[in-house]
Amino acid sequence: TVEQLSSQFNIGSATLFRLFRKYMQSSPIELLIHFRMQRAKSLLLEQRYSVKDIAHQVGYRNPSFFTAEFKRLFGQTPSAFRKQNTPY
C-alpha cells in the first residue's frame, strides 16, 4: 500500500506521490493498474482462465469493476479483447 511504502521510506504519502510522479511520470496507483492490466491482457490471450478468474489473479476482488476498468483503459471489454485477438 501507499502507507507501507511511505513508512518504509520514512516519508509522508503526499511526498511519496510527488516524488513518484516526478520520476515515474505516474502515480503509484496508476502504475499498479498498468501492470495489472498488462498481466490481464496476457492471461486473456492464454484462454485458460475465465474473466472472473483473471480479475482475481491480477488483484481485483470485483470482476465487474475489473471489466469496467479494462474497458476504460482499452476501449473494449476483456471478453471482446480476447475474441478480437484469438487466431481462430
Side-chain angles (χ1 to χ4, degrees):
T1 66
V2 171
E3 292 78 22
Q4 289 171 323
L5 285 172
S6 297
S7 177
Q8 184 172 353
F9 294 110
N10 200 28
I11 59 175
S13 59
T15 302
L16 175 73
F17 267 89
R18 183 178 49 77
L19 292 172
F20 210 92
R21 178 146 324 264
K22 179 179 179 180
Y23 293 105
M24 302 298 292
Q25 289 76 45
S26 176
S27 75
I29 295 165
E30 290 167 343
L31 192 60
L32 175 62
I33 291 169
H34 170 78
F35 287 129
R36 285 178 170 180
M37 290 301 170
Q38 293 306 313
R39 178 68 180 140
K41 285 170 75 174
S42 295
L43 290 170
L44 285 163
L45 297 177
E46 289 179 15
Q47 301 250 348
R48 295 187 311 184
Y49 306 104
S50 69
V51 171
K52 180 181 177 182
D53 289 340
I54 291 170
H56 290 284
Q57 286 184 42
V58 298
Y60 287 86
R61 292 184 195 148
N62 183 333
S64 297
F65 182 70
F66 164 73
T67 297
E69 196 69 357
F70 192 96
K71 186 173 182 179
R72 180 183 69 81
L73 293 171
F74 302 116
Q76 59 187 352
T77 64
S79 298
F81 172 83
R82 175 182 271 168
K83 186 175 181 180
Q84 181 180 355
N85 292 284
T86 300
Y88 49 89

